[in-house]
Amino acid sequence: MADVIRRYFEAFNAGDTEGMLSCLTDDVAHHVNEGGVRHGKEAFAEFCAHMTRCYRENLTDMVIFSNPEGTRGAAEFTVNGTYIGDDEGLPEATGQTYVLPAGSFFDLRDGLISRVTTRYNLSEWIRQVS
């Protein structure tokens, strides 16, 4: 099951939203840092479009974990980013760069990701871009 998580992040780093969507169940639950839960691939794709407009990110130092049953997984990584477009309620974007440790947690079902929860330190991100 770690394979689907690896493919998901390879697609992320390639800027391939369709590739990411192919790793998800139709009813995926997407828990966003400091936000609500988005349900389904359409909501996930809308989130990706927003992120592409505001941020350019590459994930490095990736370590992926999964339980023996193949139902849960996690990844720890470093986010290397550039803030390229204003995001509502956040500082103005002027091309600031940032580096943050982050993690994602997954539920897996039938070889696909059914839940994505990503966490990072938002106050540290704001400090870096302010």
Side-chain angles (χ1 to χ4, degrees):
M1 284 305 193
D3 263 3
V4 71
I5 296 171
R6 189 172 331 304
R7 286 194 321 271
Y8 171 86
F9 283 119
E10 286 171 353
F12 177 94
N13 276 344
D16 178 8
T17 298
E18 288 301 317
M20 293 171 70
L21 290 170
S22 75
C23 296
L24 307 177
T25 61
D26 289 339
D27 65 344
V28 65
H30 181 216
H31 300 251
V32 183
N33 197 66
E34 305 291 327
V37 180
R38 292 176 177 86
H39 295 279
K41 284 185 174 183
E42 183 177 333
F44 187 89
E46 289 169 3
F47 174 80
C48 289
H50 168 81
M51 292 296 289
T52 298
R53 188 176 67 255
C54 297
Y55 308 93
R56 185 172 42 249
E57 295 181 330
N58 185 61
L59 309 180
T60 58
D61 307 317
M62 181 76 55
V63 179
I64 296 173
F65 309 88
S66 63
N67 69 345
E69 298 80 18
T71 58
R72 306 278 298 275
E76 183 177 13
F77 47 88
T78 301
V79 179
N80 306 274
T82 305
Y83 187 28
I84 58 174
D86 291 351
D87 199 345
E88 186 177 339
L90 297 174
E92 180 182 352
T94 60
Q96 308 94 308
T97 59
Y98 52 92
V99 177
L100 291 170
S104 291
F105 305 91
F106 303 91
D107 285 341
L108 305 163
R109 184 176 74 235
D110 300 326
L112 296 171
I113 297 166
S114 60
R115 175 187 58 92
V116 179
T117 302
T118 300
R119 295 287 182 248
Y120 58 89
N121 186 330
L122 180 60
S123 60
E124 175 58 19
W125 179 86
I126 290 171
R127 186 193 69 74
Q128 289 187 38
V129 301
S130 293

